[in-house]
Amino acid sequence: VWRLFFMTKLIVSNMKCMGCVHKIEDILKTNSIEAEVKLEDKTVTINEADANKAKTLIKSIGYLVKE
């Protein structure tokens, strides 16, 4: 079975340190969302199907999120 996933980048403008990265990774992992979190460009790359849920989760822990 071939699956094609479209990826979405979310911008988390107030992600400032590795502590922020770990908090975001943890909340997404806890909710079964795979993500690549990059502090350098303040982005979270996720499967497009998970975008709305991920935005809600990241906002719930105090971060500003936009696409």
Side-chain angles (χ1 to χ4, degrees):
V1 174
W2 286 88
R3 288 191 205 177
L4 179 61
F5 294 113
F6 294 98
M7 302 306 283
T8 297
K9 273 193 183 183
L10 304 177
I11 299 166
V12 183
S13 59
N14 60 336
M15 178 170 42
K16 308 240 184 263
C17 65
M18 287 307 293
C20 299
V21 169
H22 294 307
K23 285 179 189 174
I24 292 168
E25 287 174 336
D26 288 346
I27 193 137
L28 295 176
K29 186 183 283 187
T30 299
N31 287 274
S32 303
I33 297 175
E34 290 186 35
E36 179 182 14
V37 183
K38 288 189 176 180
L39 180 59
E40 329 57 89
D41 55 3
K42 299 183 181 214
T43 60
V44 178
T45 304
I46 52 164
N47 181 324
E48 190 176 272
D50 295 324
N52 288 332
K53 184 176 181 183
K55 279 192 264 188
T56 300
L57 290 167
I58 295 167
K59 287 177 181 179
S60 78
I61 57 171
Y63 294 98
L64 305 173
V65 183
K66 62 182 179 178
E67 280 187 58

